[in-house]
Amino acid sequence: MVKREKSKRFAVRIVKCCRFLQGERQEYVLSKQLMRSGTSIGANIAESVHAQSRRDFVSKINIALKEAGETRYWLEIVYESELIPKEMFDSLSADCDELARILASTVRTIRQNA
């Protein structure tokens, strides 16, 4: 499953970003928010694999999509607060946007086939 592996790699990158925020910038509150939302995307995708029904699957994917939106928000906050470099922001936000597009497409396809 492509989106599961992409979301896992993204979560690892978020963990590394948060480690940077905590270690280099001494920023704990925003990094904790970013960590929660950024790793939750993949966790919900992983849960969706074992969904009990189509409705449960769509629910998990929708939650992952919402978490992607929240993650994008926190990335913007830490970047605009000058806590992460532009290169880090650009790379993480591009990956986050790609995950959001994949998740939105998945939801659309399921709804069209329902």
Side-chain angles (χ1 to χ4, degrees):
M1 181 178 247
V2 174
K3 65 183 169 244
R4 185 171 183 196
E5 193 54 40
K6 280 183 184 286
S7 66
K8 186 176 173 184
R9 282 196 312 268
F10 180 72
V12 169
R13 293 187 64 220
I14 288 292
V15 169
K16 290 178 181 181
C17 175
C18 291
R19 197 175 330 148
F20 169 81
L21 286 168
Q22 293 170 1
E24 298 291 321
R25 303 291 195 223
Q26 303 297 299
E27 171 46 59
Y28 301 98
V29 176
L30 295 174
S31 67
K32 195 171 197 174
Q33 293 289 89
L34 178 59
M35 177 81 79
R36 285 182 181 158
S37 64
T39 58
S40 181
I41 299 166
N44 279 287
I45 291 170
E47 272 192 68
S48 75
V49 172
H50 302 289
Q52 296 174 345
S53 65
R54 171 176 260 169
R55 186 175 185 180
D56 186 32
F57 177 80
V58 171
S59 175
K60 297 299 182 206
I61 296 299
N62 270 318
I63 291 169
L65 180 56
K66 289 179 188 181
E67 293 294 341
E70 182 179 343
T71 300
R72 175 61 189 221
Y73 172 80
W74 291 120
L75 284 169
E76 290 172 1
I77 294 297
V78 296
Y79 173 67
E80 291 173 22
S81 299
E82 300 177 355
L83 294 168
I84 60 173
K86 183 174 181 8
E87 299 78 26
M88 185 183 289
F89 170 76
D90 287 345
S91 178
L92 285 169
S93 63
D95 286 354
C96 187
D97 291 347
E98 180 184 6
L99 280 169
R101 282 190 301 275
I102 291 168
L103 293 164
S105 175
T106 300
V107 171
R108 273 193 308 278
T109 299
I110 290 170
R111 287 188 176 149
Q112 289 171 351
N113 294 335

